[in-house]
Amino acid sequence: MLQGEVYSGGNCDLFCQLTGAEGPDILYFGDHIYGDVVRSKKTNGWKTFLVVPELKHDLDVWTSESQLFEQHHELEKQLGEYQAVHGDTDDGENKIKELDKERKNVVDQIDARYNKYFGSVFRKGGRLSCFANQMDKYADIYASTIVNIMNYGLGHQSGAHQNYCPMNA
């Protein structure tokens, strides 16, 4: 094995033996959440980089349809506030149904911008999908292509984003 070269196609025990590296010293690149990333993280304690080509399209939609996302956020906020104040009244129930119908319509519009059959790989309305939760939990870094990290040096340290509790968001 040559220094500065990419190791491909072997097994993790041999790689650790050849390099003397172990656990978080290793950044493993993969494109399969379970076969590559989860297994490398759980079994070996390696840092992981998940390549997710679909991410580019989702980010493009997120950027181009920001007004729909803002509308959805505002409807969710109004719905929560209205439920807290007027939820037990007949008028409150009617208004809540009206706001919820409007919110669902916006969610359908958002989903149609991603994929007409199943929406985004990463979200449903304002909620993360199961895949996105797994990606967030197990991938230390993720991007649509490995090229996205080309300009970072080998000593670069990436910090985790701050996760807020729902009541603090």
Side-chain angles (χ1 to χ4, degrees):
M1 196 165 146
L2 301 173
Q3 185 172 349
E5 295 292 318
V6 173
Y7 180 77
S8 176
N11 70 53
C12 62
D13 292 333
L14 179 59
F15 178 79
C16 291
Q17 184 181 356
L18 290 172
T19 63
E22 57 186 44
D25 298 335
I26 298 167
L27 178 60
Y28 183 85
F29 291 80
D31 64 356
H32 192 277
I33 188 75
Y34 298 107
D36 293 329
V37 172
V38 173
R39 188 167 20 153
S40 300
K41 174 76 71 187
K42 283 187 165 185
T43 306
N44 307 310
W46 291 356
K47 297 289 184 186
T48 55
F49 184 109
L50 180 63
V51 179
V52 188
E54 297 85 357
L55 189 58
K56 181 179 180 342
H57 178 66
D58 265 52
L59 289 172
D60 290 344
V61 170
W62 178 264
T63 303
S64 67
E65 301 298 334
S66 61
Q67 288 179 323
L68 271 177
F69 286 100
E70 288 171 20
Q71 185 180 1
H72 177 265
H73 178 73
E74 187 58 36
L75 285 167
E76 289 254 325
K77 185 176 157 189
Q78 287 176 17
L79 192 55
E81 290 171 355
Y82 210 85
Q83 285 173 328
V85 176
H86 305 286
D88 294 336
T89 66
D90 287 340
D91 287 341
E93 285 184 29
N94 290 335
K95 180 68 172 177
I96 288 168
K97 285 179 184 177
E98 179 185 317
L99 285 170
D100 194 45
K101 184 177 178 182
E102 191 176 345
R103 184 193 59 81
K104 287 177 182 176
N105 182 41
V106 171
V107 167
D108 290 343
Q109 289 178 54
I110 290 170
D111 285 349
R113 301 304 197 278
Y114 290 108
N115 181 297
K116 65 180 180 179
Y117 299 109
F118 56 83
S120 170
V121 174
F122 305 100
R123 67 181 67 251
K124 174 66 175 173
R127 312 278 186 275
L128 291 179
S129 68
C130 181
F131 175 74
N133 278 312
Q134 293 289 316
M135 188 173 75
D136 188 50
K137 182 176 181 178
Y138 293 107
D140 294 297
I141 304 170
Y142 54 87
S144 60
T145 174
I146 196 169
V147 174
N148 291 355
I149 64 162
M150 208 166 68
N151 294 319
Y152 292 97
L154 292 176
H156 181 78
Q157 298 267 331
S158 294
H161 64 281
Q162 179 70 39
N163 279 336
Y164 293 101
C165 292
M167 66 274 201
N168 298 332

